[in-house]
Amino acid sequence: MMDYGKLLGAHGLDALLISTPANVRYLSGFTAPKDGQVIVGQSGAILLTDGRYTVQAQQESRLPVRIAGREERPQVYAGLLGGRIGFEAAGLTYAQLETLRQQAPGEWVPTYGLIEQYRVRKSPEEIGHIRAAAQLADRALAHILPFLKPGAREIDIALELEFFLRKNGSEGVAFDTAVVSGPRTAMPHGSPSQRVLGPGDLVTLDFGAVIGGYCSDMTRTVGIGAVSQELKRMYRAVLEAQERALEAVGPGRIGKELDALARQVLEEKGYGPYFSHGLGHGVGLLIHEAPGLNKISEDTLEPGMVITIEPGVYIPDVGGVRIEDLVLVTEGGYEVLSQAPKGWLEL
Ligand code: ZN
Ligand code: ZN
């Protein structure tokens, strides 16, 4: 468990206000973290929330719970916060900070990534949730493939996919489901539209489940009917780039090194200018978190990190391909958590 005294001491703080939902959830286990805060003081940490959550917070929180509505808040803050008070720079609006300054006089000090540094390496329990989310997404992909046929609309495919996820235990969707087809596959993260699938189309599906608050993330691109040689060539290039980077995953590898491996494959095949985003990102309570895998990332991989490997090629008016796996960094290398097949598939 977190050593709160050490955390405060390391940053010369007397108290710390945690208000970023993912960090509130990480520290407390409270599943409505948007309506909660964690206050860390010399005597430990508490979860602060309001009367709507009296029962739920007591059931879920690992930390002692303090219930206080809008009227009681000034008193709570004044009582618990003083001296050098750390706050999360990314977790408060300017207006919220101004109000807090009035309620709890002290030296308010912005902090960056204090809790995030603990979240980067996942515990076995966290990995269990992510693994379960990835397995559910694999099942969802198998479920949706028969729906991918000429005449089907992107939006109906996306809804069927999300319905399956929710019916089978996903706590929501990890992010807005992307389903794009035909020339729309040139949009790396397009929203599903009314467009109807036709023969020769590529279809890209990017989606994730949520289990125990933890996300999964996977992309597959498949073909409908007779797909052109040009698009199939693009697919093979992306798959080769994806596998090149994936096979290199392991402790000690740097984000930009892995990005360069995939980028090099695509550059050699003439697709360099069309790989318009980074190779991947960390996944956990948030769909995008540390470490980064991109052209400039100096992040070093460590066992217990969960990342994506997702190169893509997007050519305007032609189409695009992305193949994304969810990957656990292990002591000896890596384990792929997304197990759906990724060889060329023409439906
Ligand atoms: Zn994705
Ligand atoms: Zn992703």
Side-chain angles (χ1 to χ4, degrees):
M1 203 59 268
M2 186 81 62
D3 185 339
Y4 291 106
K6 202 171 154 192
L7 180 66
L8 293 179
H11 296 88
L13 299 171
D14 298 303
L16 176 61
L17 176 70
I18 301 295
S19 54
T20 305
N23 289 339
V24 171
R25 177 155 187 166
Y26 180 76
L27 295 175
S28 68
F30 182 44
T31 63
K34 285 189 181 71
D35 294 319
Q37 295 175 339
V38 170
I39 296 181
V40 182
Q42 299 298 341
S43 53
I46 63 149
L47 171 69
L48 176 63
T49 184
D50 63 74
R52 291 173 295 168
Y53 298 102
T54 306
V55 174
Q56 186 183 330
Q58 293 292 352
Q59 282 177 359
E60 295 175 345
S61 179
R62 287 188 289 271
L63 303 174
V65 176
R66 179 89 177 256
I67 301 292
R70 186 182 285 269
E71 319 78 54
E72 299 100 36
R73 286 287 168 109
Q75 248 178 306
V76 174
Y77 291 133
L80 294 174
L81 299 170
R84 265 175 70 84
I85 309 163
F87 68 95
E88 294 183 288
L92 291 178
T93 64
Y94 191 84
Q96 287 168 329
L97 178 61
E98 290 287 279
T99 304
L100 282 163
R101 276 188 211 279
Q102 288 165 9
Q103 294 174 341
E107 187 192 348
W108 285 80
V109 184
T111 68
Y112 300 85
L114 245 54
I115 306 303
E116 283 81 353
Q117 64 182 324
Y118 297 98
R119 287 179 27 211
V120 181
R121 288 179 70 152
K122 272 68 182 176
S123 70
E125 188 192 350
E126 292 178 291
I127 292 166
H129 290 315
I130 298 171
R131 190 188 300 280
Q135 285 169 351
L136 177 51
D138 286 344
R139 286 172 55 206
L141 186 79
H143 170 79
I144 206 66
L145 289 180
F147 290 84
L148 304 184
K149 51 190 174 199
R153 292 190 311 169
E154 292 172 0
I155 186 69
D156 293 318
I157 294 163
L159 289 171
E160 180 63 32
L161 191 58
E162 293 185 2
F163 191 69
F164 181 91
L165 290 171
R166 293 300 306 269
K167 284 266 273 189
N168 289 281
S170 182
E171 293 150 20
V173 288
F175 52 91
D176 291 343
T177 299
V179 175
V180 287
S181 63
R184 300 190 78 246
T185 51
M187 295 188 277
H189 215 274
S191 297
S193 74
Q194 312 271 342
R195 186 181 185 277
V196 170
L197 274 53
D201 278 354
L202 291 178
V203 184
T204 298
L205 308 109
D206 186 356
F207 61 99
V210 183
I211 302 283
Y214 288 80
C215 301
S216 75
D217 189 4
M218 174 174 72
T219 307
R220 290 293 183 264
T221 301
V222 301
I224 305 295
V227 172
S228 72
Q229 289 303 324
E230 182 187 14
L231 293 177
K232 281 195 244 186
R233 181 179 170 270
M234 190 191 291
Y235 190 91
R236 284 195 299 272
V238 172
L239 183 58
E240 189 180 327
Q242 204 270 347
E243 290 178 332
R244 180 76 58 89
L246 178 64
E247 284 158 11
V249 170
R253 299 309 295 248
I254 314 287
K256 66 180 184 185
E257 280 175 19
L258 293 173
D259 181 276
L261 286 175
R263 209 165 289 281
Q264 193 190 345
V265 172
L266 294 172
E267 275 165 7
E268 280 164 8
K269 296 177 189 300
Y271 294 119
Y274 304 109
F275 178 14
S276 50
H277 53 72
L279 178 68
H281 52 88
V283 175
L285 286 168
L286 294 181
I287 187 63
H288 290 129
E289 54 181 56
L293 291 86
N294 53 56
K295 275 185 195 172
I296 58 167
S297 174
E298 302 281 353
D299 294 348
T300 303
L301 296 188
E302 297 173 42
M305 288 180 170
V306 175
I307 59 172
T308 67
I309 299 290
E310 51 175 310
V313 165
Y314 314 91
I315 304 182
D317 303 319
V318 175
V321 172
R322 180 169 63 261
I323 303 169
E324 173 180 32
D325 276 325
L326 188 63
V327 184
L328 169 67
V329 182
T330 63
E331 297 286 345
Y334 66 94
E335 178 193 340
V336 181
L337 301 178
S338 46
Q339 288 290 316
K342 61 184 174 187
W344 171 247
L345 182 60
E346 201 167 290
L347 299 165

